[in-house]
Amino acid sequence: MLPADNLRHTKLPLNNGSGAIPALGFGTLIPDPAATRLATKAALEAGFRLIDTAERYRTEREVGEAMRDVFKEGKVKREDVVVVTKLWNTNHRPQRVKPAFEASLKKLQLDSVDVYLIHTPFAFRPGDEQDPRDANGAVIYDKGVTLLDTWGAMERLVDDGKCRAIGLSDVNLEQVKGIVDAARIKPAVVHVESHPYLPEWELVNYCKENGIVFQAFAALGHGSDPRLLDDPVVVAIAGRVGKTPAQVLLAWAIQRGTAPLTTSKTPGRIRENFDVSFIPEDGVREITEGIRLRVRFNAVVETGVPGFIPRGT
Ligand SMILES: NC(=O)c1ccc[n+]([C@@H]2O[C@H](COP(=O)([O-])OP(=O)(O)OC[C@H]3O[C@@H](n4cnc5c(N)ncnc54)[C@H](OP(=O)(O)O)[C@@H]3O)[C@@H](O)[C@H]2O)c1
């Protein structure tokens, strides 16, 4: 017998006592502004109640406009939507954190966000250039600030009541442990690439032990090769349970206790990705134990340079 099927409405508690956030989320890493606006609106209308954006994606303005429209139409209430955005690498100096956060609020047309993440653990040269490079094309890092310095400024945003929770993105286990051990306010969310080709079990288990929500991006493999959506194990389970490969991958992610993020510009796929229901436990096990291929699609964790954002934007 499968449990009552409300998988798509699964919520995961935040470890600072400020409520819970949906496991299933919609990401807005979409290069075209008009497409971002339409997709965000479609996602909210389809039922998604967690929207992920970032200063670096340059989609906060469009996400803000889409939310404003949907809220105005009375279809969804602001308090029912969890908004996640991120501090970019060029704003790691503590004195830059609050201004960057306030600039994000302004673009989003909000008074507060629910979750604010440090986008990557790499500090870049502070300034307006999001991708600072030297004459040889090498990234210019900022050696004058540590991740813990930045974290202290993030904690002060929670103190100010402007964001419910804070977290880390594109970090490894050691970096998460370093912040958890030293922080006054522990990270509530860790947001990294994860899917059956990169299950990150060690980090998932550490997050579970510490009550940290493990948010998984590229949950469908980012449309890259090798195509996770065409994986024979996933396709076979989808055929057996009468769901699509995307729905199977999202069910696997939620059933193993993580919070998957997907992106789509296509309204039909957006609805498909919200229509997630339980798959049998043997299907979950088959994916966990039967898929042995290991692939990281996004090298952002190695350099801080986002692999999925076209250079020059
Ligand atoms: N922190 C970070 O460094 C970081 C990095 C990357 C992403 N993220 C976040 O995570 C979110 C999700 O990551 P992602 O974009 O890699 O997600 P993804 O859902 O794994 O990949 C998106 C791709 O899959 C396609 N797709 C979506 N649903 C589909 C379906 N049902 N069937 C077939 N194809 C489908 C989309 O195509 P169409 O659009 O053409 O429909 C798009 O090409 C991002 O938007 C962003 O918010 C964070």
Side-chain angles (χ1 to χ4, degrees):
M1 256 287 272
L2 294 179
D5 216 331
N6 52 8
L7 191 66
R8 80 201 70 172
H9 298 298
T10 302
K11 286 198 169 190
L12 299 169
L14 295 167
N15 59 9
N16 63 359
S18 70
I21 62 171
L24 191 55
F26 186 78
T28 62
L29 180 50
I30 300 172
D32 177 67
T36 305
R37 212 175 300 120
L38 288 174
T40 305
K41 205 161 177 247
L44 289 166
E45 288 171 356
F48 281 96
R49 291 295 176 267
L50 184 143
I51 304 290
D52 180 68
T53 181
E55 177 189 354
R56 183 65 180 98
Y57 303 164
R58 301 187 176 167
T59 55
E60 290 170 315
R61 199 175 301 283
E62 289 71 28
V63 168
E65 288 166 0
M67 289 193 297
R68 181 202 54 203
D69 291 351
V70 175
F71 298 156
K72 213 187 274 173
E73 287 163 18
K75 290 180 180 161
V76 182
K77 294 205 275 289
R78 161 66 184 106
E79 57 270 31
D80 295 332
V81 180
V82 166
V83 180
V84 182
T85 192
K86 311 185 193 80
L87 177 84
W88 183 237
N89 300 355
T90 47
N91 290 319
H92 277 211
R93 295 259 170 162
Q95 66 274 21
R96 294 181 68 87
V97 171
K98 195 170 179 186
F101 175 77
E102 284 172 348
S104 289
L105 281 187
K106 194 161 174 224
K107 281 180 265 177
L108 287 163
Q109 305 186 38
L110 298 176
D111 299 326
S112 66
V113 296
D114 300 276
V115 182
Y116 196 44
L117 305 175
I118 300 180
H119 199 142
T120 87
F122 297 89
F124 288 1
R125 181 180 68 191
D128 293 334
E129 172 50 59
Q130 289 188 328
D131 189 17
R133 302 278 172 152
D134 67 16
N136 300 317
V139 175
I140 305 172
Y141 291 98
D142 179 4
K143 301 260 177 355
V145 60
T146 67
L147 192 57
L148 192 57
D149 296 335
T150 310
W151 189 257
M154 299 286 282
E155 292 178 323
R156 287 190 285 282
L157 295 176
V158 180
D159 295 339
D160 290 348
K162 288 291 190 183
C163 69
R164 275 165 68 192
I166 48 179
L168 298 164
S169 166
D170 296 327
V171 274
N172 59 35
L173 181 57
E174 290 316 306
Q175 288 161 327
V176 180
K177 281 183 178 167
I179 296 296
V180 168
D181 291 346
R184 177 168 60 84
I185 300 176
K186 310 291 177 209
V189 176
V190 162
H191 168 124
V192 295
E193 176 180 343
S194 192
H195 39 72
Y197 292 163
L198 191 68
E200 299 281 25
W201 280 109
E202 224 187 326
L203 186 54
V204 168
N205 290 333
Y206 177 84
C207 286
K208 281 187 187 166
E209 285 156 20
N210 288 277
I212 299 169
V213 175
F214 179 103
Q215 206 170 37
F217 75 74
L220 306 181
H222 192 66
S224 303
D225 287 330
R227 284 185 56 85
L228 184 56
L229 287 166
D230 295 339
D231 186 281
V233 173
V234 177
V235 171
I237 297 169
R240 238 168 39 223
V241 301
K243 301 298 271 184
T244 67
Q247 291 166 335
V248 167
L249 288 166
L250 294 171
W252 174 81
I254 303 173
Q255 287 177 241
R256 77 181 184 121
T258 69
L261 283 169
T262 64
T263 315
S264 177
K265 303 177 292 301
T266 319
R269 286 178 175 170
I270 293 171
R271 289 191 293 274
E272 172 188 335
N273 294 349
F274 190 69
D275 183 19
V276 175
S277 45
F278 280 94
I279 58 168
E281 276 307 317
D282 59 354
V284 174
R285 226 178 7 255
E286 254 175 79
I287 294 176
T288 303
E289 293 170 10
I291 295 182
R292 288 273 158 248
L293 187 61
R294 291 293 173 260
V295 182
R296 182 185 291 285
F297 293 109
N298 192 326
V300 59
V301 290
E302 285 146 29
T303 58
V305 177
F308 296 163
I309 299 178
R311 280 285 303 279
T313 61

